[in-house]
């Protein structure tokens, strides 16, 4: 009988240890979940603060980008394949785009369609166009034929900018 008593005692200890481990795992899981929750809440609050500040200052994407260029002109903005684009590089490229379109008669409120893959030139062209107030429709590069024609014609685009490899 003593042997049986020790066996059940061992089982009881093992059950208690398992329960303690489960409780510790539950507390750890709760701690991790609360930590992630509060980190997400903090990030959300920071974003809301900045959005309110931008709205109060009547900031546009072009104005915010200009302030970032002034703060960090040589900081890398893009790593793309074997290229690096700094804030200054992107600003100079977008200014050239803006000047080209301005010289060709585009003005605030005109609409342009942009059909390109994601790369630095895409952002530079978009940024250059919004600097002069042109409305840019960002088209999905996976659209073909009817849906693509509909996307372009529904916004009454004055121009279509596309990547050279999309000609075919």
């Amino acid at each position: 009988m003593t042997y049986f008593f020790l066996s059940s005692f061992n089982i009881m200890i093992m059950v208690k240890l398992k329960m303690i481990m489960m409780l510790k795992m539950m507390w750890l899981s709760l701690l991790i979940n609360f930590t992630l929750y509060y980190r997400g809440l903090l990030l959300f609050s920071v974003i809301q603060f900045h959005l309110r500040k931008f709205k109060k200052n009547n900031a546009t994407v072009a104005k915010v980008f200009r302030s970032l260029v002034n703060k960090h002109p040589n900081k890398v903005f893009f790593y793309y394949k074997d290229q690096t684009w700094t804030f200054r590089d992107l600003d100079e490229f977008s200014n050239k785009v803006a000047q080209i379109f301005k010289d060709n008669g585009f003005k605030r409120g005109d609409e342009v369609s942009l059909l390109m893959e994601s790369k630095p030139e895409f952002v530079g062209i978009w940024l250059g166009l919004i600097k002069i107030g042109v409305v840019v429709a960002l088209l999905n590069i996976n659209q073909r034929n009817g849906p693509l024609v509909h996307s372009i014609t529904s916004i009454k685009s004055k121009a279509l900018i596309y990547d050279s490899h999309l000609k075919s």
Side-chain angles (χ1 to χ4, degrees):
M1 284 302 210
T2 307
Y3 179 74
F4 180 75
F5 178 72
L6 287 175
S7 172
S8 64
F9 180 73
N10 287 341
I11 291 172
M12 285 176 45
I13 290 176
M14 287 175 40
V15 167
K16 284 184 179 180
L17 286 174
K18 192 171 185 177
M19 288 176 58
I20 290 170
M21 286 177 56
M22 287 175 56
L23 284 172
K24 283 182 179 180
M25 288 174 56
M26 285 174 45
W27 278 108
L28 182 62
S29 174
L30 283 172
L31 180 65
I32 290 170
N33 286 337
F34 279 125
T35 304
L36 292 175
Y37 171 76
Y38 285 114
R39 281 181 59 197
L41 188 61
L42 178 65
L43 180 62
F44 179 75
S45 300
V46 168
I47 291 170
Q48 289 289 20
F49 169 76
H50 286 290
L51 288 175
R52 281 192 203 104
K53 186 174 82 171
F54 291 149
K55 188 175 181 180
K56 180 181 173 187
N57 296 334
N58 199 21
T60 63
V61 174
K63 288 178 185 176
V64 172
F65 182 73
R66 171 47 62 204
S67 69
L68 289 173
V69 170
N70 291 335
K71 282 183 190 175
H72 315 286
N74 297 319
K75 188 173 183 180
V76 175
F77 189 79
F78 280 119
Y79 290 103
Y80 181 72
K81 295 185 179 176
D82 59 344
Q83 305 171 353
T84 56
W85 287 58
T86 63
F87 279 86
R88 181 180 295 141
D89 295 336
L90 189 63
D91 187 46
E92 289 171 358
F93 181 80
S94 65
N95 288 339
K96 289 176 187 175
V97 169
Q99 193 60 49
I100 289 168
F101 276 85
K102 201 172 190 179
D103 291 345
N104 284 301
F106 286 84
K107 59 188 180 310
R108 178 172 298 281
D110 287 345
E111 297 172 352
V112 171
S113 297
L114 181 58
L115 181 65
M116 292 179 73
E117 289 184 347
S118 296
K119 54 185 178 178
E121 291 86 357
F122 173 87
V123 177
I125 292 170
W126 171 74
L127 193 58
L129 290 170
I130 65 169
K131 282 181 178 183
I132 60 172
V134 172
V135 178
V136 184
L138 307 175
L139 302 179
N140 183 346
I141 63 166
N142 295 315
Q143 288 183 330
R144 300 286 185 260
N145 304 328
L148 180 59
V149 170
H150 172 73
S151 295
I152 295 168
T153 57
S154 66
I155 63 159
K156 298 173 185 68
S157 241
K158 285 182 75 176
L160 170 64
I161 304 168
Y162 60 92
D163 219 341
S164 61
H165 82 279
L166 295 174
K167 282 184 179 181
S168 55

